[in-house]
């Protein structure tokens, strides 16, 4: 599992890297670095409720990245899919339940499955990669925690304050059952060699802590982000 500064990032035509930075509300924030045809690497990430962004490098804030280890044919397919999503920039609600959101992307088309109320920055990356036949985690092994409950309540309060959408907030609060895909877990899973993925919950915990430590070493100042 190797992370390095996004300042040193270079990508082949179909190269893909997963980026990790600090996030607000007590967590990290993740996104996808990719090459737009004939241009410099760009960053695609779900910043917040209905706020999917594509940005050129250098990205705002301090990021560390890990190059995604996938075969060339898969990389060509996935990079084309990511480029298409970055051009469409669909409106995606912010929702925590990453189990209900399985299958959110069919190729480059986003459509929330029945029972899903949106994605987080981490489940957005998970679903994009899953649609490109790059599974990262064994989601059935994920465990609830009190920390997830506390984080989820903060998210719901922020959603209510910013959007005023009581119906959506109620659905988010009801749905996630104290389960959360933490950005550090997602980044650590994406940084593994392909023969070690998809990874289970217990295995990823130590690696997620290492990813968090790598970020804190490279980027000691926390910018204000939401996810």
């Amino acid at each position: 599992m190797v992370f390095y500064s996004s300042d040193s990032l270079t990508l082949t035509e179909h190269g893909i890297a997963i980026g990790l930075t600090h996030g607000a509300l007590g967590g990290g924030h993740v996104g996808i670095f990719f090459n737009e045809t004939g241009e410099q690497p760009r960053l695609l990430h779900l910043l917040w409720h209905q706020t999917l962004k594509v940005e050129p490098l250098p990205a705002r804030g301090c990021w560390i990245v890990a190059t995604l280890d996938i075969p060339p044919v898969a990389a060509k397919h996935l990079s084309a899919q990511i480029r298409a999503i970055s051009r469409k920039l669909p409106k995606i609600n912010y929702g925590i339940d990453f189990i209900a959101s399985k299958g959110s992307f069919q190729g480059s088309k986003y459509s929330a499955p029945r029972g899903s109320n949106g994605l987080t920055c981490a489940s957005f990356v998970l679903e994009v990669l899953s649609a490109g036949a790059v599974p990262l985690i064994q989601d059935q092994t994920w465990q609830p925690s009190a920390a997830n409950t506390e984080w989820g309540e903060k998210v719901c309060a922020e959603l209510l304050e910013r959007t005023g959408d009581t119906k959506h907030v109620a659905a988010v609060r009801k749905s996630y059952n104290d389960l959360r895909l933490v950005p550090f877990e997602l980044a650590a899973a994406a940084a593994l060699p392909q023969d070690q993925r998809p990874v289970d919950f217990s295995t990823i915990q130590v690696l997620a802590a290492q990813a968090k430590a790598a970020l804190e070493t490279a980027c000691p100042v926390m910018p204000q982000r939401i996810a």
Side-chain angles (χ1 to χ4, degrees), residues 69-127:
D69 178 26
I70 53 176
V73 172
K76 184 176 182 180
H77 171 77
L78 181 57
S79 62
Q81 173 188 318
I82 292 168
R83 289 168 188 157
I85 294 170
S86 76
R87 293 163 187 162
K88 295 177 181 178
L89 292 179
K91 295 290 186 183
I92 300 175
N93 288 342
Y94 198 89
I96 302 171
D97 187 350
F98 69 96
I99 303 298
S101 66
K102 290 173 65 175
S104 290
F105 281 91
Q106 301 297 320
S108 62
K109 181 181 178 181
Y110 172 75
S111 179
R114 184 174 182 178
S116 172
N117 45 56
L119 302 172
T120 63
C121 66
S123 57
F124 167 74
V125 175
L126 178 74
E127 288 303 310

Side-chain angles (χ1 to χ4, degrees), residues 16 28 47 49 51 67 74 79 82 92 122 152 160 179 186 200 203 213 215:
I16 299 161
L47 273 168
H49 184 67
T51 313
T67 303
S79 62
I82 292 168
I92 300 175
L160 185 59
L179 284 175
L186 183 284
D200 65 84
T203 300
L215 176 63

Side-chain angles (χ1 to χ4, degrees), residues 20-193:
L20 176 64
T21 189
H22 292 291
L25 303 181
H29 178 73
V30 290
I32 303 171
F33 287 89
F34 68 102
N35 249 335
E36 183 57 89
T37 306
E39 298 187 17
Q40 295 296 315
R42 294 190 174 200
L43 168 65
L44 177 67
H45 56 144
L46 184 63
L47 273 168
W48 183 232
H49 184 67
Q50 298 186 359
T51 313
L52 182 61
K53 293 286 188 181
V54 59
E55 302 179 40
L57 288 183
R60 290 174 292 170
C62 178
W63 291 76
I64 58 174
V65 296
T67 303
L68 188 64
D69 178 26
I70 53 176
V73 172
K76 184 176 182 180
H77 171 77
L78 181 57
S79 62
Q81 173 188 318
I82 292 168
R83 289 168 188 157
I85 294 170
S86 76
R87 293 163 187 162
K88 295 177 181 178
L89 292 179
K91 295 290 186 183
I92 300 175
N93 288 342
Y94 198 89
I96 302 171
D97 187 350
F98 69 96
I99 303 298
S101 66
K102 290 173 65 175
S104 290
F105 281 91
Q106 301 297 320
S108 62
K109 181 181 178 181
Y110 172 75
S111 179
R114 184 174 182 178
S116 172
N117 45 56
L119 302 172
T120 63
C121 66
S123 57
F124 167 74
V125 175
L126 178 74
E127 288 303 310
V128 170
L129 268 58
S130 294
V134 183
L136 295 182
I137 65 170
Q138 299 173 25
D139 56 59
Q140 72 277 10
T141 67
W142 248 243
Q143 299 294 319
S145 74
N148 290 344
T149 305
E150 181 180 357
W151 183 85
E153 285 302 316
K154 290 179 181 178
V155 166
C156 288
E158 191 81 12
L159 275 171
L160 185 59
E161 179 179 346
R162 292 196 183 196
T163 70
D165 189 339
T166 56
K167 184 177 180 180
H168 177 64
V169 172
V172 172
R173 181 174 279 115
K174 182 180 179 180
S175 68
Y176 67 92
N177 297 319
D178 304 331
L179 284 175
R180 175 195 177 198
L181 178 60
V182 179
F184 301 115
E185 296 169 346
L186 183 284
L192 289 172

